[in-house]
Amino acid sequence: LEYRNFGAGVAFAQQSIDGGLTYLPATEVGMISQTGALDVDQVDGTVYISGNDGQLAVGTPDPILGYPLTYTLSQPIPVSTDAANIFVAMRVANDHPGGGTPGTVYLCYSDGTNIYVISSNNHGATFNSPVQVNNPADPAQNVNLLPWITADTTQGSIGVVC
């Protein structure tokens, strides 16, 4: 569960281990303008939370407790992208089910005209350059907002709705 304190702009995450009847104590994620997607690497338990301003919070689970006690914030989406049009969608692929390598995290966003995807295979420490995934030659695609993304178990296989 993720949520944001509107007054201070601080995001929090909580985990339930009983189907949502109760929740563990809240963990502060950090200052995020508006929370977006939350996903968990099904192999190693790393928690990813995207912010609609292009930020990404990454929480590595504590080896004893099994959930993150802290989060690291980064800005993988170029700061030159107008935050009013980003609409970040994020998914973690279960593309390394044998373990040992983190799942690939994909961020999909809009600049108001085009849709881009960036990815990381090292827990969000670095990301590849943005790849445009819409067809700019199609006159029906002059404005692209609110993209959505899904990730498959096959490495590099994603679906994007523009």
Side-chain angles (χ1 to χ4, degrees), residues 4 21 26 29 32 39 41 56-57 62 64 71-72 74 77 82-83 92 98-99 106-107 130 132 151 157:
R4 185 176 149 264
L21 294 174
V29 174
I32 297 179
D39 206 356
D41 187 316
L56 180 68
D62 178 85
I64 295 170
Y71 285 81
T72 302
S74 65
I77 294 175
D82 182 359
V92 179
Y106 294 94
L107 293 173
Q132 185 176 331
S157 180

PDB file of all heavy atoms in Angstrom, residues 4 21 26 29 32 39 41 56-57 62 64 71-72 74 77 82-83 92 98-99 106-107 130 132 151 157:
ATOM      1  N   ARG A   4       0.216   9.176   0.210  1.00  0.00           N
ATOM      2  CA  ARG A   4       0.973  10.417   0.359  1.00  0.00           C
ATOM      3  C   ARG A   4       0.242  11.360   1.304  1.00  0.00           C
ATOM      4  O   ARG A   4      -0.972  11.508   1.230  1.00  0.00           O
ATOM      5  CB  ARG A   4       1.128  11.072  -1.014  1.00  0.00           C
ATOM      6  CG  ARG A   4       2.002  12.295  -1.016  1.00  0.00           C
ATOM      7  CD  ARG A   4       2.146  12.792  -2.472  1.00  0.00           C
ATOM      8  NE  ARG A   4       2.308  14.209  -2.470  1.00  0.00           N
ATOM      9  CZ  ARG A   4       1.348  15.107  -2.635  1.00  0.00           C
ATOM     10  NH1 ARG A   4       0.125  14.740  -2.836  1.00  0.00           N
ATOM     11  NH2 ARG A   4       1.614  16.387  -2.621  1.00  0.00           N
ATOM     12  N   LEU A  21      -6.142  -7.196   5.936  1.00  0.00           N
ATOM     13  CA  LEU A  21      -6.875  -7.006   7.188  1.00  0.00           C
ATOM     14  C   LEU A  21      -6.105  -6.111   8.151  1.00  0.00           C
ATOM     15  O   LEU A  21      -6.690  -5.293   8.854  1.00  0.00           O
ATOM     16  CB  LEU A  21      -7.163  -8.359   7.851  1.00  0.00           C
ATOM     17  CG  LEU A  21      -8.112  -9.272   7.075  1.00  0.00           C
ATOM     18  CD1 LEU A  21      -8.213 -10.628   7.752  1.00  0.00           C
ATOM     19  CD2 LEU A  21      -9.483  -8.624   6.954  1.00  0.00           C
ATOM     20  N   ALA A  26       4.043   1.945   8.964  1.00  0.00           N
ATOM     21  CA  ALA A  26       4.346   2.711   7.749  1.00  0.00           C
ATOM     22  C   ALA A  26       5.836   3.016   7.676  1.00  0.00           C
ATOM     23  O   ALA A  26       6.473   3.289   8.687  1.00  0.00           O
ATOM     24  CB  ALA A  26       3.545   4.002   7.723  1.00  0.00           C
ATOM     25  N   VAL A  29       8.762   6.895   2.523  1.00  0.00           N
ATOM     26  CA  VAL A  29       9.410   6.727   1.225  1.00  0.00           C
ATOM     27  C   VAL A  29      10.207   7.977   0.881  1.00  0.00           C
ATOM     28  O   VAL A  29      11.325   7.900   0.388  1.00  0.00           O
ATOM     29  CB  VAL A  29       8.364   6.412   0.128  1.00  0.00           C
ATOM     30  CG1 VAL A  29       8.999   6.383  -1.238  1.00  0.00           C
ATOM     31  CG2 VAL A  29       7.663   5.094   0.436  1.00  0.00           C
ATOM     32  N   ILE A  32       7.560  12.925  -2.659  1.00  0.00           N
ATOM     33  CA  ILE A  32       7.128  12.622  -4.022  1.00  0.00           C
ATOM     34  C   ILE A  32       5.910  13.486  -4.296  1.00  0.00           C
ATOM     35  O   ILE A  32       4.969  13.503  -3.497  1.00  0.00           O
ATOM     36  CB  ILE A  32       6.786  11.125  -4.198  1.00  0.00           C
ATOM     37  CG1 ILE A  32       8.027  10.255  -3.979  1.00  0.00           C
ATOM     38  CG2 ILE A  32       6.191  10.860  -5.570  1.00  0.00           C
ATOM     39  CD1 ILE A  32       7.774   8.767  -4.103  1.00  0.00           C
ATOM     40  N   ASP A  39       5.174  -1.622  -7.499  1.00  0.00           N
ATOM     41  CA  ASP A  39       5.372  -3.004  -7.943  1.00  0.00           C
ATOM     42  C   ASP A  39       6.499  -3.606  -7.120  1.00  0.00           C
ATOM     43  O   ASP A  39       7.334  -2.890  -6.563  1.00  0.00           O
ATOM     44  CB  ASP A  39       5.688  -3.063  -9.437  1.00  0.00           C
ATOM     45  CG  ASP A  39       5.274  -4.392 -10.063  1.00  0.00           C
ATOM     46  OD1 ASP A  39       4.806  -5.298  -9.338  1.00  0.00           O
ATOM     47  OD2 ASP A  39       5.420  -4.539 -11.292  1.00  0.00           O
ATOM     48  N   ASP A  41       9.509  -6.754  -7.035  1.00  0.00           N
ATOM     49  CA  ASP A  41      10.275  -7.801  -7.714  1.00  0.00           C
ATOM     50  C   ASP A  41       9.941  -9.114  -7.015  1.00  0.00           C
ATOM     51  O   ASP A  41      10.211  -9.286  -5.826  1.00  0.00           O
ATOM     52  CB  ASP A  41      11.772  -7.499  -7.619  1.00  0.00           C
ATOM     53  CG  ASP A  41      12.619  -8.449  -8.453  1.00  0.00           C
ATOM     54  OD1 ASP A  41      12.341  -9.673  -8.421  1.00  0.00           O
ATOM     55  OD2 ASP A  41      13.555  -7.983  -9.115  1.00  0.00           O
ATOM     56  N   LEU A  56      11.650   7.824  -8.852  1.00  0.00           N
ATOM     57  CA  LEU A  56      11.477   6.407  -8.553  1.00  0.00           C
ATOM     58  C   LEU A  56      12.052   6.153  -7.170  1.00  0.00           C
ATOM     59  O   LEU A  56      13.181   6.544  -6.878  1.00  0.00           O
ATOM     60  CB  LEU A  56      12.192   5.529  -9.579  1.00  0.00           C
ATOM     61  CG  LEU A  56      12.059   4.019  -9.331  1.00  0.00           C
ATOM     62  CD1 LEU A  56      10.618   3.561  -9.562  1.00  0.00           C
ATOM     63  CD2 LEU A  56      13.013   3.246 -10.222  1.00  0.00           C
ATOM     64  N   ALA A  57      11.256   5.518  -6.313  1.00  0.00           N
ATOM     65  CA  ALA A  57      11.712   5.115  -4.986  1.00  0.00           C
ATOM     66  C   ALA A  57      11.973   3.620  -5.024  1.00  0.00           C
ATOM     67  O   ALA A  57      11.164   2.849  -5.533  1.00  0.00           O
ATOM     68  CB  ALA A  57      10.653   5.435  -3.939  1.00  0.00           C
ATOM     69  N   ASP A  62      14.611  -5.618   4.219  1.00  0.00           N
ATOM     70  CA  ASP A  62      15.490  -5.999   5.312  1.00  0.00           C
ATOM     71  C   ASP A  62      15.560  -7.530   5.355  1.00  0.00           C
ATOM     72  O   ASP A  62      14.522  -8.199   5.253  1.00  0.00           O
ATOM     73  CB  ASP A  62      14.917  -5.454   6.628  1.00  0.00           C
ATOM     74  CG  ASP A  62      15.748  -5.836   7.817  1.00  0.00           C
ATOM     75  OD1 ASP A  62      16.722  -5.111   8.107  1.00  0.00           O
ATOM     76  OD2 ASP A  62      15.426  -6.868   8.456  1.00  0.00           O
ATOM     77  N   ILE A  64      15.919  -9.609   7.699  1.00  0.00           N
ATOM     78  CA  ILE A  64      15.235 -10.244   8.827  1.00  0.00           C
ATOM     79  C   ILE A  64      13.733  -9.979   8.777  1.00  0.00           C
ATOM     80  O   ILE A  64      12.923 -10.893   8.890  1.00  0.00           O
ATOM     81  CB  ILE A  64      15.833  -9.751  10.164  1.00  0.00           C
ATOM     82  CG1 ILE A  64      17.286 -10.217  10.261  1.00  0.00           C
ATOM     83  CG2 ILE A  64      15.009 -10.261  11.351  1.00  0.00           C
ATOM     84  CD1 ILE A  64      18.064  -9.624  11.396  1.00  0.00           C
ATOM     85  N   TYR A  71      13.958   3.827   1.769  1.00  0.00           N
ATOM     86  CA  TYR A  71      13.840   3.914   0.313  1.00  0.00           C
ATOM     87  C   TYR A  71      14.860   4.914  -0.200  1.00  0.00           C
ATOM     88  O   TYR A  71      15.176   5.894   0.467  1.00  0.00           O
ATOM     89  CB  TYR A  71      12.428   4.357  -0.096  1.00  0.00           C
ATOM     90  CG  TYR A  71      11.402   3.272   0.051  1.00  0.00           C
ATOM     91  CD1 TYR A  71      10.835   2.988   1.291  1.00  0.00           C
ATOM     92  CD2 TYR A  71      11.006   2.518  -1.038  1.00  0.00           C
ATOM     93  CE1 TYR A  71       9.890   1.977   1.433  1.00  0.00           C
ATOM     94  CE2 TYR A  71      10.065   1.506  -0.905  1.00  0.00           C
ATOM     95  CZ  TYR A  71       9.516   1.243   0.335  1.00  0.00           C
ATOM     96  OH  TYR A  71       8.594   0.243   0.470  1.00  0.00           O
ATOM     97  N   THR A  72      15.335   4.654  -1.413  1.00  0.00           N
ATOM     98  CA  THR A  72      16.239   5.572  -2.099  1.00  0.00           C
ATOM     99  C   THR A  72      15.475   6.200  -3.252  1.00  0.00           C
ATOM    100  O   THR A  72      14.889   5.486  -4.072  1.00  0.00           O
ATOM    101  CB  THR A  72      17.475   4.823  -2.632  1.00  0.00           C
ATOM    102  OG1 THR A  72      18.125   4.182  -1.538  1.00  0.00           O
ATOM    103  CG2 THR A  72      18.421   5.774  -3.333  1.00  0.00           C
ATOM    104  N   SER A  74      15.372   8.458  -6.737  1.00  0.00           N
ATOM    105  CA  SER A  74      16.185   8.906  -7.868  1.00  0.00           C
ATOM    106  C   SER A  74      15.271   9.560  -8.887  1.00  0.00           C
ATOM    107  O   SER A  74      14.045   9.500  -8.774  1.00  0.00           O
ATOM    108  CB  SER A  74      16.940   7.722  -8.501  1.00  0.00           C
ATOM    109  OG  SER A  74      16.025   6.805  -9.076  1.00  0.00           O
ATOM    110  N   ILE A  77      13.700   9.735 -15.032  1.00  0.00           N
ATOM    111  CA  ILE A  77      13.094  10.391 -16.189  1.00  0.00           C
ATOM    112  C   ILE A  77      13.721  11.774 -16.309  1.00  0.00           C
ATOM    113  O   ILE A  77      13.828  12.497 -15.319  1.00  0.00           O
ATOM    114  CB  ILE A  77      11.566  10.460 -16.039  1.00  0.00           C
ATOM    115  CG1 ILE A  77      11.005   9.030 -16.071  1.00  0.00           C
ATOM    116  CG2 ILE A  77      10.935  11.315 -17.140  1.00  0.00           C
ATOM    117  CD1 ILE A  77       9.536   8.932 -15.810  1.00  0.00           C
ATOM    118  N   ASP A  82       8.370  17.862 -19.114  1.00  0.00           N
ATOM    119  CA  ASP A  82       7.356  18.620 -18.386  1.00  0.00           C
ATOM    120  C   ASP A  82       6.595  17.684 -17.451  1.00  0.00           C
ATOM    121  O   ASP A  82       5.913  16.762 -17.897  1.00  0.00           O
ATOM    122  CB  ASP A  82       6.399  19.274 -19.379  1.00  0.00           C
ATOM    123  CG  ASP A  82       5.330  20.119 -18.707  1.00  0.00           C
ATOM    124  OD1 ASP A  82       5.301  20.191 -17.461  1.00  0.00           O
ATOM    125  OD2 ASP A  82       4.525  20.707 -19.441  1.00  0.00           O
ATOM    126  N   ALA A  83       6.722  17.901 -16.154  1.00  0.00           N
ATOM    127  CA  ALA A  83       6.104  17.023 -15.164  1.00  0.00           C
ATOM    128  C   ALA A  83       4.581  16.993 -15.279  1.00  0.00           C
ATOM    129  O   ALA A  83       3.948  16.054 -14.805  1.00  0.00           O
ATOM    130  CB  ALA A  83       6.513  17.457 -13.757  1.00  0.00           C
ATOM    131  N   VAL A  92       7.661  -4.167 -12.914  1.00  0.00           N
ATOM    132  CA  VAL A  92       8.864  -4.973 -12.754  1.00  0.00           C
ATOM    133  C   VAL A  92       8.591  -6.327 -13.388  1.00  0.00           C
ATOM    134  O   VAL A  92       7.594  -6.978 -13.068  1.00  0.00           O
ATOM    135  CB  VAL A  92       9.227  -5.161 -11.262  1.00  0.00           C
ATOM    136  CG1 VAL A  92      10.472  -6.033 -11.127  1.00  0.00           C
ATOM    137  CG2 VAL A  92       9.434  -3.824 -10.593  1.00  0.00           C
ATOM    138  N   GLY A  98      15.188 -17.530 -12.120  1.00  0.00           N
ATOM    139  CA  GLY A  98      16.188 -18.364 -11.468  1.00  0.00           C
ATOM    140  C   GLY A  98      16.874 -17.666 -10.321  1.00  0.00           C
ATOM    141  O   GLY A  98      17.613 -18.273  -9.555  1.00  0.00           O
ATOM    142  N   GLY A  99      16.627 -16.363 -10.183  1.00  0.00           N
ATOM    143  CA  GLY A  99      17.243 -15.605  -9.111  1.00  0.00           C
ATOM    144  C   GLY A  99      18.631 -15.128  -9.485  1.00  0.00           C
ATOM    145  O   GLY A  99      19.124 -15.369 -10.585  1.00  0.00           O
ATOM    146  N   TYR A 106      10.697  -1.304 -15.599  1.00  0.00           N
ATOM    147  CA  TYR A 106      10.377  -0.479 -16.764  1.00  0.00           C
ATOM    148  C   TYR A 106       9.562   0.720 -16.309  1.00  0.00           C
ATOM    149  O   TYR A 106       8.602   0.592 -15.553  1.00  0.00           O
ATOM    150  CB  TYR A 106       9.537  -1.270 -17.769  1.00  0.00           C
ATOM    151  CG  TYR A 106      10.261  -2.426 -18.396  1.00  0.00           C
ATOM    152  CD1 TYR A 106      10.164  -3.704 -17.862  1.00  0.00           C
ATOM    153  CD2 TYR A 106      11.039  -2.241 -19.539  1.00  0.00           C
ATOM    154  CE1 TYR A 106      10.827  -4.769 -18.448  1.00  0.00           C
ATOM    155  CE2 TYR A 106      11.705  -3.311 -20.129  1.00  0.00           C
ATOM    156  CZ  TYR A 106      11.590  -4.566 -19.572  1.00  0.00           C
ATOM    157  OH  TYR A 106      12.247  -5.623 -20.151  1.00  0.00           O
ATOM    158  N   LEU A 107       9.940   1.898 -16.788  1.00  0.00           N
ATOM    159  CA  LEU A 107       9.162   3.110 -16.578  1.00  0.00           C
ATOM    160  C   LEU A 107       8.686   3.598 -17.939  1.00  0.00           C
ATOM    161  O   LEU A 107       9.462   3.658 -18.891  1.00  0.00           O
ATOM    162  CB  LEU A 107       9.997   4.205 -15.924  1.00  0.00           C
ATOM    163  CG  LEU A 107      10.456   3.959 -14.494  1.00  0.00           C
ATOM    164  CD1 LEU A 107      11.414   5.044 -14.060  1.00  0.00           C
ATOM    165  CD2 LEU A 107       9.280   3.897 -13.564  1.00  0.00           C
ATOM    166  N   PRO A 130      15.972   6.863 -23.055  1.00  0.00           N
ATOM    167  CA  PRO A 130      14.563   6.705 -23.417  1.00  0.00           C
ATOM    168  C   PRO A 130      14.383   6.201 -24.848  1.00  0.00           C
ATOM    169  O   PRO A 130      15.090   6.618 -25.766  1.00  0.00           O
ATOM    170  CB  PRO A 130      14.004   8.125 -23.283  1.00  0.00           C
ATOM    171  CG  PRO A 130      14.944   8.838 -22.374  1.00  0.00           C
ATOM    172  CD  PRO A 130      16.289   8.231 -22.631  1.00  0.00           C
ATOM    173  N   GLN A 132      11.433   5.877 -27.724  1.00  0.00           N
ATOM    174  CA  GLN A 132      10.088   6.312 -28.115  1.00  0.00           C
ATOM    175  C   GLN A 132       9.338   5.097 -28.640  1.00  0.00           C
ATOM    176  O   GLN A 132       9.833   4.366 -29.495  1.00  0.00           O
ATOM    177  CB  GLN A 132      10.176   7.386 -29.189  1.00  0.00           C
ATOM    178  CG  GLN A 132       8.835   7.964 -29.567  1.00  0.00           C
ATOM    179  CD  GLN A 132       8.968   9.094 -30.566  1.00  0.00           C
ATOM    180  OE1 GLN A 132       9.977   9.794 -30.595  1.00  0.00           O
ATOM    181  NE2 GLN A 132       7.945   9.276 -31.370  1.00  0.00           N
ATOM    182  N   ALA A 151       4.640  -6.088 -18.199  1.00  0.00           N
ATOM    183  CA  ALA A 151       5.901  -6.784 -18.478  1.00  0.00           C
ATOM    184  C   ALA A 151       5.667  -8.287 -18.439  1.00  0.00           C
ATOM    185  O   ALA A 151       4.935  -8.796 -17.588  1.00  0.00           O
ATOM    186  CB  ALA A 151       6.952  -6.390 -17.448  1.00  0.00           C
ATOM    187  N   SER A 157      10.370  -8.345 -23.073  1.00  0.00           N
ATOM    188  CA  SER A 157       9.036  -8.387 -23.657  1.00  0.00           C
ATOM    189  C   SER A 157       8.069  -7.571 -22.805  1.00  0.00           C
ATOM    190  O   SER A 157       7.764  -7.919 -21.659  1.00  0.00           O
ATOM    191  CB  SER A 157       8.554  -9.837 -23.743  1.00  0.00           C
ATOM    192  OG  SER A 157       7.255  -9.898 -24.300  1.00  0.00           O
TER     193      SER A 157
END
